[in-house]
Amino acid sequence: KCNSIASFNHKVCSVHMSYVEGSSWSALESTDFVYAGGSHNGTFVQIGDEYNGSDDAKEGNRDSSQDAEVLEFKLNFGCQNTITGLFKTQLADGIMGMYNTPTSFWRQMHSAGAIDEKKFSL
């Protein structure tokens, strides 16, 4: 559901989801650029000019900012503003949609060209 807000000269959209066991959440829709990760050929840690990582990672001679520039994409997501039920007591602090819909995280990655194939794993 989207409503026009004249003072901001744009629309604010809200989303809501309820679950069979009684939990629910509401959120405002937002968009930002995200970066889901880069080269995984080895470990990587860079502090200042010092580099500590595996030989595989060193061969790439890259830093994470280079990965971010190449692999970032525009993501539509919801910023939760109301939660009920089990969402109040669980240790996790969010939901990531992995279902096979156009708005799921991995499908947005694919649509934006951040991943080549319609495959994603954590």
Side-chain angles (χ1 to χ4, degrees):
K1 176 183 173 186
C2 297
N3 297 311
S4 293
I5 298 184
S7 60
F8 294 112
N9 198 24
H10 68 277
K11 290 185 177 186
V12 174
C13 300
S14 60
V15 292
H16 179 83
M17 179 67 73
S18 296
Y19 298 88
V20 174
E21 47 62 50
S23 298
S24 67
W25 56 263
S26 296
L28 295 178
E29 207 170 86
S30 187
T31 303
D32 202 353
F33 286 92
V34 298
Y35 161 67
S39 174
H40 297 286
N41 294 332
T43 59
F44 177 82
V45 176
Q46 182 173 355
I47 301 172
D49 291 335
E50 295 206 19
Y51 186 92
N52 298 315
S54 70
D55 289 337
D56 288 342
K58 286 179 186 174
E59 287 176 12
N61 195 24
R62 301 163 47 134
D63 66 28
S64 59
S65 65
Q66 289 172 314
D67 286 341
E69 290 172 13
V70 173
L71 299 174
E72 74 177 4
F73 65 99
K74 195 173 187 179
L75 178 72
N76 294 316
F77 59 95
C79 292
Q80 291 180 336
N81 53 16
T82 305
I83 57 173
T84 66
L86 296 175
F87 289 114
K88 288 188 171 190
T89 58
Q90 69 183 2
L91 296 177
D93 61 353
I95 297 174
M96 179 183 283
M98 302 300 280
Y99 194 64
N100 190 15
T101 63
T103 57
S104 68
F105 179 79
W106 71 272
R107 287 278 300 267
Q108 289 187 66
M109 284 182 72
H110 180 263
S111 295
I115 56 175
D116 295 330
E117 298 180 46
K118 289 186 178 180
K119 296 178 185 178
F120 183 78
S121 67
L122 294 174

